[in-house]
Amino acid sequence: LPLKMADTSSSTPPHRAQWAFVQLQNQGHVFDIHDSLVVNAFRMLQMDAQEGLAPSVGWVQGGVWPFFSSIHGMGDLWQRNYTHAANLLYAVSNHASTLGTWVEEQQPRAVGTRTSGDASNATASSLFIAFVRKSIALERDSTLELLAGVPEEWFRPHATIALNNVLTEFGPLTFRMQVDGGNKATIDVSSVRGNGVAGGPVIFLQKLKQLGYLNPDGSPVPDTYKGSWGKEIHLTLVKK
């Protein structure tokens, strides 16, 4: 630990088998997010991307592995690489079949049509669901971060972003954000137990702020809104 990050003395791609290291940070949170080893490893995985995904991580030389890329994206969320996480979310989506399932590995179109591993790959499907969930609600230490990883495009007029009675480390969560025709956004968060830890839910409002939303009284929207365990949250933001 860690696996090798690069080897210029052979033809082995530095991306090969990095799923284990990324999973270590994604689920284990072993390193500080600013640790240079982790920062540079994630930068390396963005190099030479094929169709938006890291190549040659698995068995297929030059191939892409959507299974891994959902793990990669959740690691990006933990590292606060929100823009790249959103790009990966769409790239993984674009590699699904018409039935919404994935093969384990595949070659990029420019390379060929070879596939490898399971098809359909149930783990890829479950990891993608987890990726979407963590983009909306992510447990970090003693806080439940809401909307931090949601792509900006999801805040379009008439959009609804919702989680219904989803289990979290702090208790069940029901969350709903709605945008009307473009001038009002409402956010409703259920009471979350907290399970005896300090902290609370934190709603990330930067993207709505950048889109021109204000508080109803015309005052600026804060970057984050901090709630408390055991209390509902109801926010209304407007464009004037």
Side-chain angles (χ1 to χ4, degrees):
L1 200 202
L3 301 169
K4 63 182 179 181
M5 295 299 168
D7 184 358
T8 57
S9 65
S10 73
S11 60
T12 302
H15 310 81
R16 179 64 45 77
Q18 292 307 315
W19 63 270
F21 181 77
V22 174
Q23 188 77 308
L24 183 75
Q25 185 68 350
N26 167 32
Q27 291 192 311
H29 317 315
V30 172
F31 299 96
D32 183 271
I33 65 172
H34 303 294
D35 189 296
S36 61
L37 176 65
V38 180
V39 171
N40 288 327
F42 275 80
R43 285 176 179 169
M44 177 272 297
L45 286 167
Q46 296 180 32
M47 295 169 53
D48 304 319
Q50 299 294 316
E51 299 174 347
L53 307 180
S56 301
V57 180
W59 296 107
V60 179
Q61 182 77 2
V64 294
W65 189 9
F67 173 131
F68 162 75
S69 293
S70 285
I71 298 173
H72 184 187
M74 287 186 279
D76 269 327
L77 292 172
W78 184 257
Q79 291 296 118
R80 300 194 188 279
N81 300 332
Y82 298 127
T83 298
H84 190 253
N87 291 339
L88 277 175
L89 189 65
Y90 277 91
V92 174
S93 301
N94 289 336
H95 286 81
S97 74
T98 54
L99 297 177
T101 59
W102 288 262
V103 295
E104 190 162 351
E105 294 184 63
Q106 62 191 91
Q107 289 180 319
R109 284 183 176 180
V111 177
T113 59
R114 179 186 171 194
T115 63
S116 176
D118 297 334
S120 97
N121 185 253
T123 306
S125 299
S126 61
L127 285 170
F128 182 76
I129 293 170
F131 188 7
V132 173
R133 187 275 210 190
K134 287 191 174 185
S135 296
I136 302 171
L138 174 68
E139 299 94 330
R140 186 186 298 273
D141 302 325
S142 61
T143 62
L144 181 60
E145 298 182 347
L146 302 171
L147 294 179
V150 171
E152 184 176 313
E153 294 81 2
W154 291 16
F155 297 105
R156 68 187 187 279
H158 307 295
T160 298
I161 302 170
L163 295 172
N164 296 316
N165 201 32
V166 170
L167 296 180
T168 77
E169 294 176 12
F170 308 110
L173 164 72
T174 293
F175 171 89
R176 190 176 186 85
M177 197 219 76
Q178 287 185 293
V179 180
D180 69 359
N183 295 319
K184 184 173 75 172
T186 57
I187 299 173
D188 299 288
V189 184
S190 65
S191 171
V192 181
R193 292 194 305 262
N195 294 339
V197 302
V202 178
I203 305 174
F204 281 63
L205 301 172
Q206 296 102 320
K207 295 185 180 76
L208 288 164
K209 183 177 180 180
Q210 292 167 2
L211 291 170
Y213 283 92
L214 302 167
N215 289 313
D217 62 4
S219 61
V221 172
D223 287 341
T224 58
Y225 178 92
K226 297 181 180 179
S228 301
W229 299 130
K231 294 183 178 180
E232 295 181 353
I233 300 173
H234 302 284
L235 299 180
T236 299
L237 307 178
V238 298
K239 281 186 177 181
K240 296 189 175 181

